[in-house]
């Protein structure tokens, strides 16, 4: 199914570019992983607003910030 392939490919490309390369490179440039993650998630959410609207774009932004806080503070893995 071409639509399924497009969705899977887009997801892999987005994750690699925005959450892999962009965060790593921005962290090198700014010296801050937090700032790099904030920039990346803001741009990522902003690029989705024209296609999905402000509600889902805001959800991506809030979800990205929550994921960053959880990941960097290691709270996801503590019992």
């Amino acid at each position: 199914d071409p639509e399924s392939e497009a969705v899977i490919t887009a997801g892999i490309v987005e994750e690699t570019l925005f959450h892999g390369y962009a965060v790593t490179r921005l962290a090198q440039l700014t010296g801050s992983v937090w700032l790099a993650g904030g920039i990346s998630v803001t741009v990522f959410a902003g690029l989705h607003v024209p296609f999905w609207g402000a509600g889902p774009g805001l959800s991506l932004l809030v979800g990205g910030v929550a994921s960053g806080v959880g990941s960097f503070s290691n709270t996801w893995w503590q019992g």
Side-chain angles (χ1 to χ4, degrees):
D1 176 22
E3 288 180 13
S4 296
E5 291 174 13
V7 169
I8 291 168
T9 302
I12 291 169
V13 170
E14 285 181 350
E15 291 300 316
T16 301
L17 289 177
F18 283 97
H19 306 297
Y21 176 77
V23 172
T24 302
R25 186 69 181 123
L26 287 167
Q28 291 171 342
L29 292 171
T30 64
S32 170
V33 175
W34 285 101
L35 180 58
I39 292 169
S40 177
V41 75
T42 300
V43 171
F44 182 78
L47 289 174
H48 284 80
V49 169
F51 302 103
W52 294 355
L58 183 59
S59 294
L60 286 170
L61 181 62
V62 171
V65 170
S67 294
V69 169
S71 295
F72 290 115
S73 65
N74 293 321
T75 56
W76 297 135
W77 298 280
Q78 294 177 357

